[in-house]
Every structure is written in C-alpha cells, then in structure tokens.
C-alpha cells in the first residue's frame, strides 16, 4: 500500500479550518503534517496557539515544502485562483467551497487533466456524510434513478424550530445564527443557493452531468410563515428544503431545489435540526438513506480530514460517470404539483399554472395548488420571487413530480373560484 | 481512466445469482460480460433462459476465458476452495459469502498478497448499503469510535411483525420465510450467526482488527416471546437485534451481537421490516446512519454489481486500517446492563451478574436486569443458551455499555428479592 506523508498548508482559519486543526491532533495515523496556516486577519484574537501562522497566501501556494493545499476560505473567486496556482505549482488541493466548485466544474476537471494534480472536495456537500465519494465510487452503474436530499443544515434547523416550537421564521433564524448554524448573512443558506450548488456537485458524481447554476430552478425558505407550517401540520406533513436530481425519460435529469411537504413515511421526514440526509434511489436497491451532521466545524473538519487521508493514498475522483458513453443531459420538461402562497389575489394570473387543483382565498392570505412546468418556473423565476410569498412542492413523491405527461402543450384549466 | 471489460463466471444461481443476471441486463455500461453460469442442480426448472449454463465448477475456475469469478453459493468450505483455485488461476473474485469471509480473513488477505489477485465482498454485509467500502475508504482515520447496526434483515422483519401486529414469533417467522426474507433453516439468521459474521467483516474494515468467531459473544431472537415485546412496549421501546463494535480504553474494540431495547430517539428505532441500518460514530462527526435494504435478491445483486464495476476499475481493498501502527485488539473487558428472562427462578444463580438492578418474579415468567461482564457471558454462553429464554441489552446507549468501571473485581451485590 502506497501511503504518502502529506505536507499540508491550510488556507483560511475560520470554524472549519480551526476544527480541522483540532481534529488532526486526534488523528495521528493520518500522516499529514501542517506546514503552514494562513489566516486572513492578523489582528484577530485566537483561542489556540498556532505554529507557523502566516497571513500571506503565497507562503502556501508557492511554498516548495507544501504538497497539499487545504483551501477553506469563503471567497469563491479567490478560491479558484488559489486552486489554479496550487495545481500549476504541483500541489493537490482539498476544498469545501461548493460555490467555487459548482461554478467551475468543467474548468476544474480540465485543470486536473492538464496538470496531473487533483482536488478532493467531499466536505463541500453534506459535511461529514460521504455522499460525493459514494456516488462516484459505489453507485457506479446505470441503476441510479434519483438523488433527493436535505442538503442545507441551516434551513433545516430553522424549519425544525418553527415546526416543533411554533417559533416565527425570524426567531428561528436568529437562534440558528446564535448557535453558529447560519451565517450573519443567511441568504446563501435560506434562499437555496447553498443547496443548489451542492446539487450540481452531486449530479456530476451521480450522473456524469455538468449542470450550470443558471439552468437550475431554486427557491428557499425565507418567505415561510406560520400559516404554511399550519397547513403542513394539519395534514400530518413537515416542510423541508429539498434538492432533487431525478432521471427522466430520454436520458435526462431534472434538477431543482425547493421546499416540499414531506409525509411521515418518507425517510427525510425524520431528518431534523441541523442534520442532512440524502436518499439515493436505484432500480434494484430501492432507496437508501445516508444521514448525519451536514454542517458545523467538526463534522466538516472531519470530512476535510477524510479527503486529506484519501489524497495520502493517491485517491482521486475519476469522474467515472462523465466517461459513460452518453451522460444524461439536463431537462426542465417535467410537471410539478406546487403550493403557492401569496398576498394579492391577482397573483394567480402570473402563476404559470397548467392545472389548478385547489385554491384558498382568505382574509390573511391566499394559496393555490396546481401543476407547473419546471421550464415555466425557470422563465418566471423573477416574478415568482417578487409576487409569491412562499412556494413548495405539494408532496415529495412521484404524485407531485410528473415526468411523463401526455399533452405537452399548454393545458391550463379554467380557474375554479373557491368561496 | 483504466476500465477493463470483465469476463465473468457466476457460480451459484439462487436468488442473488438470478437477480445479478437480471440487474446486469439493466446496466449496459458496466462492461461485464457473463461468459458462464454454473448452477448446482441440472434438474431444477428455471424461469429464465440462461445462455452458457453449466453444472461444473471447473468450467469457471479453470476457464481460460473468464477473468472474474462471482461466487454466490451457500457452502462456505466449498466457497473458500473456489476462491483459492480462482486466485491461483489468475482470476479475481466477487463474493457475498459472509461466513466464508469472516472465518478466513487472514488467509484471504495472505492469498491476495501471494497471488496479486483480489476479492471484493461488499455484498456480504448489509446488501446494497455500501458499508464495507465506506469503512475502508472514508472513515480512514483514528476518529472512528463505534459501529452499531441492524445487520440481519430476517430478524428485523420478524421483530417488526411481532411489535406492530402482535404476532407470535412462530407466525412472524413463517411469514418471513414465505416472503423470502428468511431461510427454510432460520438458525443462521435468527440466532445471531449471520450478524456476528458481518460484524467481523465490518470490524476488519473499520478498525483493522481481525476477530475470531469464537471470541465474540452472540445471541439471537429465537427465544423471544410476547412478554418481552410487552415489556418493551410499556416502556416506549422496541427490540432490535444489534451488532456492536465499540472502541474501549487501551486501544481495544469490544464486539458482541444481541437483542437490545431501543429508545425512540435512537436512529435504529425506525429501521424496521427487512431493512438494515448501520450507525457509524466518530469523534468529530458524531453519528451517521446508513440505511437501506440489507437483504433480498435485487439489493444484494446490485451490491455484487457494484463490486464487479469496482473491479473493472482496478479497485481493491487495501485493508488500510490493518496497516495502522497498532490496530486495536479485541476486548471482552466491559460491563453490560442486560435483561434476562427465564422460566425457573433458580436460573438467577447461574447468571454471572455483577449487580442486580431490577427483578420480577411472576406466575408465567421471571426476569432480572443487572450488569454482567462481557467476558463472563462468553464463558457462560452454553449455560445461558440452555437456561435463559431471552436476553437483551437493557438499553442501546452508553448507560448500558459500560467501558470504564472502577472495581474490576467480582462485585456482585446481594440478591434483592422482589414480591
């Protein structure tokens, strides 16, 4: 067994960087030595004494000692530059930067091919749960059908608090921020960006499909109110923010991120608090759930450590599905049954509905349940953001995700008024 | 990416063999071609037309065409011979035979080193759930603390039926047999052998420890009665057959298989029916659950397919933990809090109890809850089998698994009679 003693440089010394530093002390057999830590702010007070602390990125990317760059900064543009420089200087990279990775998939693959260096990024989706590695290595055949997951711990924590303790969205958000589960600026988490980027990464390793952020419809939970929670509770459902990658006819995958009403029998129903859970569904093995802590310093630090360890064993992603004779393309040609809540009754007119199944007009709010084409959601996403307070998949199940529908033409039914 | 087109021979054409045959048709990109299928019984009527069907093992093990032997027979002695011959003839092997593997770990590793061939056996534990591969590849550092799992689908199905529908053990067993979840001779499943062999395999890949079957205390569910289920239900618990590998002080692992009372908050509480679930617990990432169909033709067939696919990418187990500076030894020096139910009150005298916490003497049965050393269970296993109707860990939690205890001497308390 080849096993290389890595000399690592850690770039970025926030929560994850510090946790990695601690976790590495507990894992002497990993055979990685920290040569240098580069933090951003020289004036920040730190709890732990760091040997070899520096504030100049080049001391890592241009070091002749360091062979492995562990990139844990927030800025995705800067992170990509670091990746490129590191590769060019003959270093491998470990990263948890989902945005940088998802935005640059093809470039990252090309750079690896050109330089012979490699990047591992299992920490970028679902923290400590080894989802990327499993999709890449284990579900390596044509049986894989769907990936469905709660990929964002902050949103899940907020939704759990609202459901369980009748807290308002703002109360729950504040609490998530206090506990360190949500950032000071929570948009990335609660509006679905984070889950969308993770979905892109999972889709590459699951299906061999390189999707672009602009082609994915995503919406988050920031508009949720107590009335949505009440609607869910009355029907024995919970609301979860869920990312979907579904195989659809014609060798395609449909991708979207949105809240969904989840029945008790669904595996994701019990994935609460800051946990993540991913269902991997295949032709022969039915459904499998991988479940664990998706966020937080230590879980993510341990995922980074697993990548470091894998690098020391010369492991690299081979992007196996990308080498399939014909990886699936991205499709937006599916029908979804959605719940829309809005304030002004006339909003109904801008909803790109194909059918209306249910409608409520009340003093405080209005909602409509109906079917919509995913393509129409994408086209109308700006309007939806503006006029719809909250939207969610009516049911996380095949009933609400219709991949075969007979009449592909516009078949919106007449609006049925409700008292 | 190197990708080899494998020429496989399937030995054994029972449920799993047939499912693999079917699953392979659905997975054209796997690049494995079935050159030969060898079944045991020439006179058996078969539902599907098999090309290249034969009844002579040597047509596979001695073939000059076949490079990969897929061994799916029941007999562990015969299976080991096949493995050896296959290796000597330059073939790799895929197997799901947990008994053969667990009984011969060291020999199998030596044979791989000697011949340069390899065996993959992810199908041998938890069917389609990629537990072995994850323990080998992902949790590859010193953080791993415990592996706890429902590893036997038959027992879990029976327990679920008893709990949910108030069925008797015999009714539930018959049903499991009718549904194909339990063998005609169920001893291997319901008395803990199956889970014990799987635990040995998981322990090797998780901790680098080679344990021997004789060193593991295991007991199953065949003695369970409605009164045990009632005891559990009254306390809001379920009973599950659970295999444990726990890191204990002094760089050791304690291994045992037995039923346990499981609280609702435990991840395994909701692992019902024929499903398997494994909790992987580590220092930084806390607990993770992997959950899915652990048995049955198609799930196991898809696990075999994953191994075939991995072989085609030149993947082999490197037994990484075995190369740790010092893999943990096996310990039986822990205290367990157990529930014992028995028929004759004097059985209490043969129980190797350290303390007695609770006792019930009634017209129909008697039980005692108390602490016992794992070492004493091993020594007394024959008597326990003879005189104890049913035993279970009182609680699947740290309270009932005591790895640090002050007084290592015999400290059995005086028996407290209960009215």
């Amino acid at each position: 067994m080849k096993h290389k003693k890595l000399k690592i440089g850690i770039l970025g010394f926030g929560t994850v960087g510090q946790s990695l530093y601690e976790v590495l002390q507990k894992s002497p057999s990993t055979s990685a030595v920290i040569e240098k830590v580069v933090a951003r702010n020289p004036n920040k007070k730190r709890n732990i004494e760091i040997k070899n602390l520096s504030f100049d990125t080049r001391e890592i990317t241009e070091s002749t000692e360091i062979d492995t760059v562990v990139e844990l900064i927030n800025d995705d543009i800067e992170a990509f530059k670091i990746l490129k420089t590191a590769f060019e200087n003959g270093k491998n990279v470990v990263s948890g930067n989902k945005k940088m990775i998802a935005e640059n998939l093809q470039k990252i693959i090309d750079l690896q091919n050109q330089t012979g260096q490699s990047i591992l990024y299992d920490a970028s989706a679902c923290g400590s749960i080894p989802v990327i590695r499993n999709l890449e290595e284990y579900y390596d055949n044509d049986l894989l059908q769907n990936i469905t997951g709660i990929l964002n711990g902050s949103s899940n924590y907020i939704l759990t608090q609202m459901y369980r303790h009748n807290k308002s969205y703002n109360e729950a958000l504040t609490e998530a921020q206090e506990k360190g589960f949500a950032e000071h600026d929570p948009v990335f988490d609660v509006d679905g960006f984070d889950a969308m980027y993770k979905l892109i990464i999972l889709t590459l390793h699951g299906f061999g499909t390189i999707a672009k952020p602009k082609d994915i419809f995503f919406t988050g939970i920031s508009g949720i109110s107590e009335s949505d929670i009440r609607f869910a509770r009355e029907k024995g459902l919970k609301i979860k923010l869920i990312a979907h990658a579904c195989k659809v006819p014609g060798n395609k995958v449909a991708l979207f991120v949105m809240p969904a009403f989840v029945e008790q029998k669904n595996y994701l129903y019990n994935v609460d608090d800051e946990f993540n859970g991913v269902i991997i569904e295949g032709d022969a093995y039915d459904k499998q759930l991988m479940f664990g802590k998706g966020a937080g310093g230590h879980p993510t630090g341990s995922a980074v450590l697993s990548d470091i360890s894998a690098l020391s064993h010369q492991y690299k992603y081979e992007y196996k599905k990308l080498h399939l004779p014909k990886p699936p393309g991205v499709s937006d040609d599916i029908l979804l049954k959605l719940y829309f809540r809005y304030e002004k009754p006339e909003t109904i007119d801008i909803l790109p509905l194909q059918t209306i199944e249910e409608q409520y007009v009340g003093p405080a709010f209005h909602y409509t349940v109906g079917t919509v084409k995913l393509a129409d959601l994408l086209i109308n996403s700006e309007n939806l953001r503006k006029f719809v307070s909250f939207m969610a998949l009516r049911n996380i199940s095949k009933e609400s995700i219709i991949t075969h529908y007979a009449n592909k033409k516009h078949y919106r039914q007449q609006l049925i008024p409700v008292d």
Side-chain angles (χ1 to χ4, degrees), chain A:
Chain A
M1 188 187 55
K2 286 168 279 176
H3 185 167
K4 208 173 128 194
K5 198 175 178 77
L6 300 184
K7 293 177 176 174
I8 65 174
I10 301 175
L11 266 164
F13 209 63
T15 321
V16 176
Q18 289 180 41
S19 300
L20 172 65
Y21 193 88
E22 287 168 43
V23 165
L24 260 170
Q25 318 303 320
K26 289 192 188 172
S27 201
S29 66
T30 300
S31 293
V33 180
I34 302 173
E35 293 280 328
K36 183 76 73 183
V37 173
V38 168
R40 193 176 37 186
N41 186 351
N43 303 317
K44 195 170 164 186
K45 226 180 145 250
R46 291 169 206 286
N47 296 328
I48 36 173
E49 179 107 5
I50 312 297
K51 280 185 293 185
N52 306 323
L53 186 64
S54 154
F55 303 93
D56 182 354
T57 299
R58 289 170 303 177
E59 286 195 31
I60 286 179
T61 54
E62 295 175 9
S63 155
T64 51
E65 282 299 307
I66 288 162
D67 50 40
T68 307
V69 175
V70 180
E71 177 277 302
L72 301 168
I73 66 172
N74 279 325
D75 181 336
D76 61 292
I77 311 253
E78 182 61 23
F80 185 69
K81 283 183 199 156
I82 289 168
L83 168 75
K84 202 159 173 281
T85 313
F87 277 3
E88 284 163 359
N89 291 335
K91 300 174 200 318
N92 295 318
V93 176
V94 171
S95 171
N97 200 319
K98 56 221 72 163
K99 187 176 178 192
M100 181 272 280
I101 295 157
E103 292 273 11
N104 298 287
L105 287 182
Q106 189 62 58
K107 281 188 210 163
I108 292 173
I109 293 167
D110 293 344
L111 279 173
Q112 291 184 80
N113 291 336
Q114 285 156 24
T115 61
Q117 299 307 127
S118 57
I119 178 171
L120 296 182
Y121 44 76
D122 247 73
S124 69
C126 299
S128 56
I129 319 173
V131 179
I132 296 173
R133 204 92 71 82
N134 275 283
L135 288 170
E136 172 74 24
E137 296 299 331
Y138 197 82
Y139 300 97
D140 175 30
N141 54 53
D142 310 284
L143 305 175
L144 185 68
Q145 287 299 320
N146 297 311
I147 305 168
T148 321
I150 294 174
L151 308 182
N152 182 262
S154 315
S155 303
N156 206 36
Y157 183 84
I158 293 167
L159 292 170
T160 306
Q161 289 298 314
M162 291 182 73
Y163 182 89
R164 203 183 277 157
H165 305 295
N166 287 310
K167 290 186 181 152
S168 73
Y169 173 77
N170 284 326
E171 279 176 294
L173 170 61
T174 306
E175 199 183 302
Q177 287 169 325
E178 280 165 8
K179 291 209 167 184
F181 298 141
E183 301 289 324
H184 182 65
D185 175 8
V187 168
F188 192 72
D189 286 318
V190 297
D191 283 342
F193 291 90
D194 176 78
M196 179 271 290
Y197 287 125
K198 289 169 177 169
L199 181 64
I200 287 179
I201 298 171
L202 299 187
T203 301
L204 169 61
H205 291 277
F207 296 102
T209 304
I210 296 183
K212 295 205 163 45
K214 69 172 177 52
D215 296 332
I216 299 181
F217 181 79
F218 66 97
T219 179
I221 61 157
S222 61
I224 198 169
S225 79
E226 287 92 330
S227 51
D228 304 313
I229 299 282
R230 205 180 318 126
F231 179 92
R233 195 184 276 117
E234 280 169 4
K235 291 165 178 61
L237 306 167
K238 284 184 189 172
I239 299 173
K240 300 283 183 190
L241 180 62
I242 292 175
H244 294 260
C246 317
K247 257 266 197 65
V248 297
N251 193 37
K252 304 257 176 154
V253 273
L255 306 172
F256 54 101
V257 175
M258 62 176 77
F261 293 97
V262 181
E263 295 166 292
Q264 202 165 355
K265 68 177 184 192
N266 190 288
Y267 296 172
L268 298 179
Y269 185 89
N270 286 317
V271 178
D272 284 328
D273 301 310
E274 77 274 24
F275 283 82
N276 282 192
V278 179
I279 297 174
I280 293 168
E281 194 174 353
D283 254 352
Y285 46 81
D286 201 0
K287 287 179 184 176
Q288 301 195 353
L289 173 70
M290 301 181 77
F291 169 72
K293 286 202 174 156
H298 280 99
T300 311
S302 80
V304 173
L305 180 60
S306 274
D307 278 342
I308 292 172
S309 175
L311 267 186
S312 82
H313 291 105
Q314 272 89 55
Y315 175 77
K316 51 174 77 183
Y317 300 136
E318 291 188 345
Y319 301 94
K320 287 176 188 161
K321 315 290 175 75
L322 208 57
H323 298 87
L324 289 178
K326 202 171 170 296
V330 177
S331 170
D332 53 15
D333 190 21
I334 63 170
L335 262 188
L336 299 173
K337 196 194 280 185
L338 298 183
Y339 158 100
F340 296 95
R341 182 178 52 74
Y342 41 88
E343 283 175 22
K344 297 182 182 150
E346 59 271 25
T347 303
I348 183 81
D349 296 325
I350 64 119
L351 296 178
L353 293 161
Q354 297 289 327
T355 61
I356 292 174
E357 312 241 334
E358 210 183 313
Q359 208 168 34
Y360 171 80
V361 178
F365 67 95
H366 318 285
Y367 72 73
T368 295
V369 173
T371 54
V372 178
K373 287 185 186 174
L374 181 55
D376 288 340
L377 289 178
L378 260 171
I379 297 167
N380 294 287
S381 53
E382 206 173 315
N383 268 339
L384 291 168
R385 237 185 291 278
K386 217 181 288 177
F387 297 108
V388 172
S389 307
F390 184 69
M391 57 183 282
L393 198 62
R394 182 57 187 83
N395 195 337
I396 173 179
S397 77
K398 292 208 171 59
E399 285 158 55
S400 285
I401 302 171
I402 304 146
T403 53
H404 297 69
Y405 51 104
N407 179 3
K408 291 213 173 189
K409 286 192 188 151
H410 195 71
Y411 63 99
R412 178 165 169 180
Q413 288 178 346
Q414 220 193 326
L415 211 146
I416 310 145
V418 174
D419 295 325

